[in-house]
Amino acid sequence: MSPNKQFILLGPPGSGKGTQAKFLAAKLRVPHISTGEIFRDHISRQTDLGKEVDNILKQGLLVSDDITNKIVADRLNQADAVPGFVLDGYPRNLVQAAFLNESTMNVQALDLELSDDEAVKRISRRWTCSVCGAIYHLDFKPPQNSGICDIDNTPLSQRSDQAENIVRDRLVIYHKQTEPLLAYYKREGRLIVIDGTPPIPQVTENINKVLQI
Ligand code: ADP
Ligand code: ADP
């Protein structure tokens, strides 16, 4: 496995992880793996796993490490992830980071920094395509035709965890459980911090520049 194509994206909900992970994965020709998307897919297909995690996602709480680590291990074992991957939304705490460390050689962490207030603003106006996963924003990345996905014409939807009180709860969990990962990856010399505030193309350019890709 080429060690320099293993990326994880850190940053609060709304910081642009999904948006940038898609660009980075396409550029590196490796899969974009979003644990949130995997869970939402199970929920929409009403699988056993989907039924188990539905309420947890609605409340903005974290799914257990056992379940999450297993779905990530299964996904990383698929052939397309052998050359590398862009993980988005995982790891979310130190237990998950330690688990990832056991099966990967040289993960590079990218941290997208954003204030809580900005994150809330972004999430409340986020719309997504439930079929292809494209991410839109009513002000910053509107679809060409209102309410319709540019890629496959699916009507866009909003997630069930984006009410302001739930987003604030998710931010509290982020600061408490996920933020310690920044110190963890920094200590290991594997952290790159990116300002998540500029417009989307600017953030993409800054990531590409720092990674020299
Ligand atoms: P965002 O990037 O907006 O925070 P995600 O799509 O990454 O949202 O995650 C949505 C939800 O899926 C989380 O609130 C949580 O319930 C669940 N989830 C996603 N990734 C993980 C993870 N690594 N560990 C535990 N729960 C997770
Ligand atoms: P995350 O995966 O970290 O929760 P998303 O990629 O889903 O974040 O982005 C959250 C919302 O903010 C989406 O509506 C997206 O279109 C928008 N967005 C992402 N990056 C930026 C940016 N740099 N400037 C303005 N809006 C952005």
Side-chain angles (χ1 to χ4, degrees), residues 163-191:
E164 178 159 351
N165 60 326
I166 304 279
V167 175
R168 294 271 174 203
D169 290 349
R170 285 164 56 204
L171 285 165
V172 170
I173 293 175
Y174 172 79
H175 290 303
K176 213 154 125 189
Q177 302 210 31
T178 310
E179 221 164 40
L181 294 183
L182 303 182
Y184 173 87
Y185 286 109
K186 189 171 178 191
R187 254 195 327 270
E188 303 214 336
R190 295 198 260 144
L191 182 73

PDB file of all heavy atoms in Angstrom, residues 163-191:
ATOM      1  N   ALA A 163     -30.887  20.192  12.942  1.00  0.00           N
ATOM      2  CA  ALA A 163     -31.528  21.242  13.740  1.00  0.00           C
ATOM      3  C   ALA A 163     -30.468  21.875  14.635  1.00  0.00           C
ATOM      4  O   ALA A 163     -29.540  21.191  15.082  1.00  0.00           O
ATOM      5  CB  ALA A 163     -32.629  20.624  14.600  1.00  0.00           C
ATOM      6  N   GLU A 164     -30.629  23.198  14.890  1.00  0.00           N
ATOM      7  CA  GLU A 164     -29.534  23.914  15.565  1.00  0.00           C
ATOM      8  C   GLU A 164     -29.151  23.282  16.905  1.00  0.00           C
ATOM      9  O   GLU A 164     -27.968  23.150  17.221  1.00  0.00           O
ATOM     10  CB  GLU A 164     -29.866  25.403  15.740  1.00  0.00           C
ATOM     11  CG  GLU A 164     -28.721  26.083  16.497  1.00  0.00           C
ATOM     12  CD  GLU A 164     -28.634  27.591  16.329  1.00  0.00           C
ATOM     13  OE1 GLU A 164     -29.352  28.148  15.477  1.00  0.00           O
ATOM     14  OE2 GLU A 164     -27.823  28.200  17.062  1.00  0.00           O
ATOM     15  N   ASN A 165     -30.162  22.854  17.709  1.00  0.00           N
ATOM     16  CA  ASN A 165     -29.806  22.287  19.029  1.00  0.00           C
ATOM     17  C   ASN A 165     -29.006  20.997  18.890  1.00  0.00           C
ATOM     18  O   ASN A 165     -28.064  20.747  19.647  1.00  0.00           O
ATOM     19  CB  ASN A 165     -31.065  22.073  19.891  1.00  0.00           C
ATOM     20  CG  ASN A 165     -32.059  21.118  19.257  1.00  0.00           C
ATOM     21  OD1 ASN A 165     -32.190  21.079  18.023  1.00  0.00           O
ATOM     22  ND2 ASN A 165     -32.737  20.327  20.050  1.00  0.00           N
ATOM     23  N   ILE A 166     -29.342  20.206  17.865  1.00  0.00           N
ATOM     24  CA  ILE A 166     -28.594  18.949  17.651  1.00  0.00           C
ATOM     25  C   ILE A 166     -27.173  19.269  17.174  1.00  0.00           C
ATOM     26  O   ILE A 166     -26.197  18.641  17.604  1.00  0.00           O
ATOM     27  CB  ILE A 166     -29.300  18.064  16.593  1.00  0.00           C
ATOM     28  CG1 ILE A 166     -30.739  17.774  16.985  1.00  0.00           C
ATOM     29  CG2 ILE A 166     -28.515  16.770  16.361  1.00  0.00           C
ATOM     30  CD1 ILE A 166     -30.927  16.675  17.981  1.00  0.00           C
ATOM     31  N   VAL A 167     -27.062  20.260  16.291  1.00  0.00           N
ATOM     32  CA  VAL A 167     -25.727  20.631  15.789  1.00  0.00           C
ATOM     33  C   VAL A 167     -24.862  21.110  16.949  1.00  0.00           C
ATOM     34  O   VAL A 167     -23.688  20.745  17.066  1.00  0.00           O
ATOM     35  CB  VAL A 167     -25.823  21.720  14.701  1.00  0.00           C
ATOM     36  CG1 VAL A 167     -24.425  22.175  14.278  1.00  0.00           C
ATOM     37  CG2 VAL A 167     -26.576  21.191  13.491  1.00  0.00           C
ATOM     38  N   ARG A 168     -25.455  21.916  17.851  1.00  0.00           N
ATOM     39  CA  ARG A 168     -24.688  22.397  19.016  1.00  0.00           C
ATOM     40  C   ARG A 168     -24.238  21.204  19.868  1.00  0.00           C
ATOM     41  O   ARG A 168     -23.105  21.174  20.337  1.00  0.00           O
ATOM     42  CB  ARG A 168     -25.531  23.353  19.870  1.00  0.00           C
ATOM     43  CG  ARG A 168     -25.867  24.649  19.155  1.00  0.00           C
ATOM     44  CD  ARG A 168     -24.797  25.720  19.361  1.00  0.00           C
ATOM     45  NE  ARG A 168     -25.078  26.904  18.561  1.00  0.00           N
ATOM     46  CZ  ARG A 168     -24.172  27.797  18.173  1.00  0.00           C
ATOM     47  NH1 ARG A 168     -22.900  27.663  18.514  1.00  0.00           N
ATOM     48  NH2 ARG A 168     -24.503  28.833  17.451  1.00  0.00           N
ATOM     49  N   ASP A 169     -25.110  20.203  20.046  1.00  0.00           N
ATOM     50  CA  ASP A 169     -24.719  19.004  20.809  1.00  0.00           C
ATOM     51  C   ASP A 169     -23.575  18.280  20.107  1.00  0.00           C
ATOM     52  O   ASP A 169     -22.631  17.803  20.744  1.00  0.00           O
ATOM     53  CB  ASP A 169     -25.899  18.018  20.950  1.00  0.00           C
ATOM     54  CG  ASP A 169     -26.979  18.557  21.890  1.00  0.00           C
ATOM     55  OD1 ASP A 169     -26.710  19.563  22.571  1.00  0.00           O
ATOM     56  OD2 ASP A 169     -28.077  17.978  21.925  1.00  0.00           O
ATOM     57  N   ARG A 170     -23.664  18.184  18.769  1.00  0.00           N
ATOM     58  CA  ARG A 170     -22.601  17.496  18.017  1.00  0.00           C
ATOM     59  C   ARG A 170     -21.283  18.250  18.155  1.00  0.00           C
ATOM     60  O   ARG A 170     -20.212  17.629  18.210  1.00  0.00           O
ATOM     61  CB  ARG A 170     -23.000  17.354  16.549  1.00  0.00           C
ATOM     62  CG  ARG A 170     -24.058  16.264  16.355  1.00  0.00           C
ATOM     63  CD  ARG A 170     -24.759  16.350  15.021  1.00  0.00           C
ATOM     64  NE  ARG A 170     -23.858  16.314  13.896  1.00  0.00           N
ATOM     65  CZ  ARG A 170     -24.131  16.808  12.687  1.00  0.00           C
ATOM     66  NH1 ARG A 170     -25.292  17.400  12.468  1.00  0.00           N
ATOM     67  NH2 ARG A 170     -23.269  16.724  11.728  1.00  0.00           N
ATOM     68  N   LEU A 171     -21.368  19.584  18.231  1.00  0.00           N
ATOM     69  CA  LEU A 171     -20.130  20.369  18.402  1.00  0.00           C
ATOM     70  C   LEU A 171     -19.517  20.134  19.783  1.00  0.00           C
ATOM     71  O   LEU A 171     -18.290  20.038  19.914  1.00  0.00           O
ATOM     72  CB  LEU A 171     -20.421  21.865  18.187  1.00  0.00           C
ATOM     73  CG  LEU A 171     -20.607  22.257  16.713  1.00  0.00           C
ATOM     74  CD1 LEU A 171     -21.257  23.638  16.588  1.00  0.00           C
ATOM     75  CD2 LEU A 171     -19.265  22.241  15.972  1.00  0.00           C
ATOM     76  N   VAL A 172     -20.371  19.997  20.803  1.00  0.00           N
ATOM     77  CA  VAL A 172     -19.853  19.722  22.158  1.00  0.00           C
ATOM     78  C   VAL A 172     -19.127  18.372  22.145  1.00  0.00           C
ATOM     79  O   VAL A 172     -17.999  18.239  22.655  1.00  0.00           O
ATOM     80  CB  VAL A 172     -21.017  19.712  23.191  1.00  0.00           C
ATOM     81  CG1 VAL A 172     -20.539  19.180  24.534  1.00  0.00           C
ATOM     82  CG2 VAL A 172     -21.593  21.124  23.351  1.00  0.00           C
ATOM     83  N   ILE A 173     -19.752  17.384  21.517  1.00  0.00           N
ATOM     84  CA  ILE A 173     -19.118  16.055  21.430  1.00  0.00           C
ATOM     85  C   ILE A 173     -17.804  16.156  20.650  1.00  0.00           C
ATOM     86  O   ILE A 173     -16.799  15.551  21.010  1.00  0.00           O
ATOM     87  CB  ILE A 173     -20.073  15.035  20.758  1.00  0.00           C
ATOM     88  CG1 ILE A 173     -21.276  14.795  21.671  1.00  0.00           C
ATOM     89  CG2 ILE A 173     -19.366  13.723  20.448  1.00  0.00           C
ATOM     90  CD1 ILE A 173     -22.355  13.907  21.075  1.00  0.00           C
ATOM     91  N   TYR A 174     -17.823  16.953  19.584  1.00  0.00           N
ATOM     92  CA  TYR A 174     -16.593  17.128  18.798  1.00  0.00           C
ATOM     93  C   TYR A 174     -15.463  17.675  19.679  1.00  0.00           C
ATOM     94  O   TYR A 174     -14.358  17.133  19.693  1.00  0.00           O
ATOM     95  CB  TYR A 174     -16.834  18.078  17.602  1.00  0.00           C
ATOM     96  CG  TYR A 174     -15.532  18.416  16.910  1.00  0.00           C
ATOM     97  CD1 TYR A 174     -14.956  17.494  16.032  1.00  0.00           C
ATOM     98  CD2 TYR A 174     -14.855  19.597  17.174  1.00  0.00           C
ATOM     99  CE1 TYR A 174     -13.731  17.757  15.434  1.00  0.00           C
ATOM    100  CE2 TYR A 174     -13.635  19.866  16.588  1.00  0.00           C
ATOM    101  CZ  TYR A 174     -13.077  18.942  15.716  1.00  0.00           C
ATOM    102  OH  TYR A 174     -11.855  19.199  15.137  1.00  0.00           O
ATOM    103  N   HIS A 175     -15.764  18.742  20.424  1.00  0.00           N
ATOM    104  CA  HIS A 175     -14.692  19.359  21.233  1.00  0.00           C
ATOM    105  C   HIS A 175     -14.182  18.391  22.298  1.00  0.00           C
ATOM    106  O   HIS A 175     -12.984  18.357  22.577  1.00  0.00           O
ATOM    107  CB  HIS A 175     -15.196  20.658  21.865  1.00  0.00           C
ATOM    108  CG  HIS A 175     -15.405  21.744  20.834  1.00  0.00           C
ATOM    109  ND1 HIS A 175     -14.412  22.178  19.996  1.00  0.00           N
ATOM    110  CD2 HIS A 175     -16.507  22.452  20.485  1.00  0.00           C
ATOM    111  CE1 HIS A 175     -14.881  23.109  19.179  1.00  0.00           C
ATOM    112  NE2 HIS A 175     -16.163  23.289  19.456  1.00  0.00           N
ATOM    113  N   LYS A 176     -15.106  17.631  22.866  1.00  0.00           N
ATOM    114  CA  LYS A 176     -14.711  16.753  23.960  1.00  0.00           C
ATOM    115  C   LYS A 176     -13.991  15.502  23.465  1.00  0.00           C
ATOM    116  O   LYS A 176     -12.949  15.120  23.981  1.00  0.00           O
ATOM    117  CB  LYS A 176     -15.990  16.334  24.709  1.00  0.00           C
ATOM    118  CG  LYS A 176     -15.778  16.137  26.186  1.00  0.00           C
ATOM    119  CD  LYS A 176     -17.057  16.367  26.920  1.00  0.00           C
ATOM    120  CE  LYS A 176     -17.470  15.234  27.795  1.00  0.00           C
ATOM    121  NZ  LYS A 176     -18.824  15.439  28.306  1.00  0.00           N
ATOM    122  N   GLN A 177     -14.541  14.865  22.433  1.00  0.00           N
ATOM    123  CA  GLN A 177     -14.022  13.543  22.059  1.00  0.00           C
ATOM    124  C   GLN A 177     -13.089  13.550  20.852  1.00  0.00           C
ATOM    125  O   GLN A 177     -12.156  12.763  20.789  1.00  0.00           O
ATOM    126  CB  GLN A 177     -15.207  12.615  21.752  1.00  0.00           C
ATOM    127  CG  GLN A 177     -16.150  12.490  22.930  1.00  0.00           C
ATOM    128  CD  GLN A 177     -16.822  11.128  22.923  1.00  0.00           C
ATOM    129  OE1 GLN A 177     -16.245  10.146  22.483  1.00  0.00           O
ATOM    130  NE2 GLN A 177     -18.049  11.073  23.400  1.00  0.00           N
ATOM    131  N   THR A 178     -13.378  14.410  19.878  1.00  0.00           N
ATOM    132  CA  THR A 178     -12.609  14.333  18.625  1.00  0.00           C
ATOM    133  C   THR A 178     -11.414  15.291  18.639  1.00  0.00           C
ATOM    134  O   THR A 178     -10.345  14.952  18.136  1.00  0.00           O
ATOM    135  CB  THR A 178     -13.524  14.634  17.415  1.00  0.00           C
ATOM    136  OG1 THR A 178     -14.707  13.824  17.528  1.00  0.00           O
ATOM    137  CG2 THR A 178     -12.834  14.310  16.101  1.00  0.00           C
ATOM    138  N   GLU A 179     -11.582  16.454  19.253  1.00  0.00           N
ATOM    139  CA  GLU A 179     -10.487  17.438  19.240  1.00  0.00           C
ATOM    140  C   GLU A 179      -9.180  16.895  19.842  1.00  0.00           C
ATOM    141  O   GLU A 179      -8.103  17.239  19.337  1.00  0.00           O
ATOM    142  CB  GLU A 179     -10.922  18.723  19.950  1.00  0.00           C
ATOM    143  CG  GLU A 179     -10.435  19.946  19.231  1.00  0.00           C
ATOM    144  CD  GLU A 179     -11.171  21.202  19.671  1.00  0.00           C
ATOM    145  OE1 GLU A 179     -11.440  21.355  20.888  1.00  0.00           O
ATOM    146  OE2 GLU A 179     -11.493  22.009  18.797  1.00  0.00           O
ATOM    147  N   PRO A 180      -9.245  16.033  20.882  1.00  0.00           N
ATOM    148  CA  PRO A 180      -7.979  15.482  21.398  1.00  0.00           C
ATOM    149  C   PRO A 180      -7.157  14.750  20.334  1.00  0.00           C
ATOM    150  O   PRO A 180      -5.948  14.581  20.493  1.00  0.00           O
ATOM    151  CB  PRO A 180      -8.436  14.512  22.500  1.00  0.00           C
ATOM    152  CG  PRO A 180      -9.756  15.049  22.947  1.00  0.00           C
ATOM    153  CD  PRO A 180     -10.393  15.642  21.722  1.00  0.00           C
ATOM    154  N   LEU A 181      -7.810  14.347  19.237  1.00  0.00           N
ATOM    155  CA  LEU A 181      -7.058  13.681  18.174  1.00  0.00           C
ATOM    156  C   LEU A 181      -6.057  14.614  17.518  1.00  0.00           C
ATOM    157  O   LEU A 181      -5.054  14.174  16.964  1.00  0.00           O
ATOM    158  CB  LEU A 181      -8.012  13.157  17.090  1.00  0.00           C
ATOM    159  CG  LEU A 181      -8.961  12.047  17.495  1.00  0.00           C
ATOM    160  CD1 LEU A 181      -9.776  11.590  16.305  1.00  0.00           C
ATOM    161  CD2 LEU A 181      -8.156  10.876  18.047  1.00  0.00           C
ATOM    162  N   LEU A 182      -6.328  15.927  17.586  1.00  0.00           N
ATOM    163  CA  LEU A 182      -5.401  16.877  16.956  1.00  0.00           C
ATOM    164  C   LEU A 182      -4.051  16.805  17.651  1.00  0.00           C
ATOM    165  O   LEU A 182      -3.009  16.737  16.999  1.00  0.00           O
ATOM    166  CB  LEU A 182      -5.964  18.308  17.005  1.00  0.00           C
ATOM    167  CG  LEU A 182      -7.344  18.495  16.359  1.00  0.00           C
ATOM    168  CD1 LEU A 182      -7.769  19.957  16.431  1.00  0.00           C
ATOM    169  CD2 LEU A 182      -7.320  18.033  14.908  1.00  0.00           C
ATOM    170  N   ALA A 183      -4.071  16.767  18.985  1.00  0.00           N
ATOM    171  CA  ALA A 183      -2.813  16.670  19.736  1.00  0.00           C
ATOM    172  C   ALA A 183      -2.144  15.325  19.460  1.00  0.00           C
ATOM    173  O   ALA A 183      -0.919  15.244  19.329  1.00  0.00           O
ATOM    174  CB  ALA A 183      -3.092  16.837  21.226  1.00  0.00           C
ATOM    175  N   TYR A 184      -2.967  14.293  19.347  1.00  0.00           N
ATOM    176  CA  TYR A 184      -2.450  12.935  19.097  1.00  0.00           C
ATOM    177  C   TYR A 184      -1.678  12.887  17.768  1.00  0.00           C
ATOM    178  O   TYR A 184      -0.529  12.445  17.709  1.00  0.00           O
ATOM    179  CB  TYR A 184      -3.641  11.982  19.097  1.00  0.00           C
ATOM    180  CG  TYR A 184      -3.380  10.548  18.697  1.00  0.00           C
ATOM    181  CD1 TYR A 184      -2.977   9.600  19.635  1.00  0.00           C
ATOM    182  CD2 TYR A 184      -3.575  10.128  17.378  1.00  0.00           C
ATOM    183  CE1 TYR A 184      -2.776   8.271  19.270  1.00  0.00           C
ATOM    184  CE2 TYR A 184      -3.377   8.805  17.008  1.00  0.00           C
ATOM    185  CZ  TYR A 184      -2.972   7.885  17.949  1.00  0.00           C
ATOM    186  OH  TYR A 184      -2.776   6.581  17.590  1.00  0.00           O
ATOM    187  N   TYR A 185      -2.302  13.391  16.692  1.00  0.00           N
ATOM    188  CA  TYR A 185      -1.636  13.339  15.386  1.00  0.00           C
ATOM    189  C   TYR A 185      -0.498  14.359  15.300  1.00  0.00           C
ATOM    190  O   TYR A 185       0.484  14.139  14.594  1.00  0.00           O
ATOM    191  CB  TYR A 185      -2.647  13.522  14.247  1.00  0.00           C
ATOM    192  CG  TYR A 185      -3.487  12.273  14.043  1.00  0.00           C
ATOM    193  CD1 TYR A 185      -4.830  12.241  14.398  1.00  0.00           C
ATOM    194  CD2 TYR A 185      -2.919  11.107  13.536  1.00  0.00           C
ATOM    195  CE1 TYR A 185      -5.584  11.085  14.245  1.00  0.00           C
ATOM    196  CE2 TYR A 185      -3.658   9.946  13.380  1.00  0.00           C
ATOM    197  CZ  TYR A 185      -4.993   9.942  13.736  1.00  0.00           C
ATOM    198  OH  TYR A 185      -5.727   8.791  13.587  1.00  0.00           O
ATOM    199  N   LYS A 186      -0.646  15.454  16.033  1.00  0.00           N
ATOM    200  CA  LYS A 186       0.441  16.454  16.033  1.00  0.00           C
ATOM    201  C   LYS A 186       1.692  15.848  16.665  1.00  0.00           C
ATOM    202  O   LYS A 186       2.803  15.988  16.139  1.00  0.00           O
ATOM    203  CB  LYS A 186      -0.019  17.687  16.818  1.00  0.00           C
ATOM    204  CG  LYS A 186       0.940  18.837  16.678  1.00  0.00           C
ATOM    205  CD  LYS A 186       0.403  20.100  17.267  1.00  0.00           C
ATOM    206  CE  LYS A 186       1.464  21.181  17.108  1.00  0.00           C
ATOM    207  NZ  LYS A 186       1.156  22.357  17.862  1.00  0.00           N
ATOM    208  N   ARG A 187       1.490  15.178  17.811  1.00  0.00           N
ATOM    209  CA  ARG A 187       2.630  14.527  18.483  1.00  0.00           C
ATOM    210  C   ARG A 187       3.339  13.554  17.554  1.00  0.00           C
ATOM    211  O   ARG A 187       4.547  13.398  17.595  1.00  0.00           O
ATOM    212  CB  ARG A 187       2.091  13.736  19.691  1.00  0.00           C
ATOM    213  CG  ARG A 187       2.384  14.370  21.018  1.00  0.00           C
ATOM    214  CD  ARG A 187       2.192  13.436  22.201  1.00  0.00           C
ATOM    215  NE  ARG A 187       1.149  12.447  22.101  1.00  0.00           N
ATOM    216  CZ  ARG A 187      -0.121  12.603  22.480  1.00  0.00           C
ATOM    217  NH1 ARG A 187      -0.515  13.761  22.989  1.00  0.00           N
ATOM    218  NH2 ARG A 187      -0.990  11.637  22.372  1.00  0.00           N
ATOM    219  N   GLU A 188       2.567  12.891  16.718  1.00  0.00           N
ATOM    220  CA  GLU A 188       3.159  11.903  15.816  1.00  0.00           C
ATOM    221  C   GLU A 188       3.720  12.547  14.547  1.00  0.00           C
ATOM    222  O   GLU A 188       4.191  11.848  13.660  1.00  0.00           O
ATOM    223  CB  GLU A 188       2.092  10.879  15.411  1.00  0.00           C
ATOM    224  CG  GLU A 188       1.472  10.197  16.614  1.00  0.00           C
ATOM    225  CD  GLU A 188       1.113   8.757  16.319  1.00  0.00           C
ATOM    226  OE1 GLU A 188       0.912   8.412  15.146  1.00  0.00           O
ATOM    227  OE2 GLU A 188       1.069   7.989  17.291  1.00  0.00           O
ATOM    228  N   GLY A 189       3.599  13.888  14.443  1.00  0.00           N
ATOM    229  CA  GLY A 189       4.105  14.592  13.263  1.00  0.00           C
ATOM    230  C   GLY A 189       3.280  14.298  12.023  1.00  0.00           C
ATOM    231  O   GLY A 189       3.782  14.325  10.905  1.00  0.00           O
ATOM    232  N   ARG A 190       1.977  14.022  12.225  1.00  0.00           N
ATOM    233  CA  ARG A 190       1.147  13.642  11.078  1.00  0.00           C
ATOM    234  C   ARG A 190      -0.075  14.539  10.924  1.00  0.00           C
ATOM    235  O   ARG A 190      -1.095  14.129  10.398  1.00  0.00           O
ATOM    236  CB  ARG A 190       0.694  12.181  11.242  1.00  0.00           C
ATOM    237  CG  ARG A 190       1.848  11.220  11.201  1.00  0.00           C
ATOM    238  CD  ARG A 190       1.397   9.824  10.916  1.00  0.00           C
ATOM    239  NE  ARG A 190       1.317   9.032  12.120  1.00  0.00           N
ATOM    240  CZ  ARG A 190       0.403   8.108  12.333  1.00  0.00           C
ATOM    241  NH1 ARG A 190      -0.539   7.901  11.465  1.00  0.00           N
ATOM    242  NH2 ARG A 190       0.420   7.409  13.433  1.00  0.00           N
ATOM    243  N   LEU A 191       0.040  15.773  11.417  1.00  0.00           N
ATOM    244  CA  LEU A 191      -1.113  16.684  11.355  1.00  0.00           C
ATOM    245  C   LEU A 191      -0.828  17.878  10.450  1.00  0.00           C
ATOM    246  O   LEU A 191       0.195  18.540  10.593  1.00  0.00           O
ATOM    247  CB  LEU A 191      -1.450  17.203  12.756  1.00  0.00           C
ATOM    248  CG  LEU A 191      -2.671  18.119  12.812  1.00  0.00           C
ATOM    249  CD1 LEU A 191      -3.958  17.313  12.631  1.00  0.00           C
ATOM    250  CD2 LEU A 191      -2.724  18.883  14.133  1.00  0.00           C
TER     251      LEU A 191
END
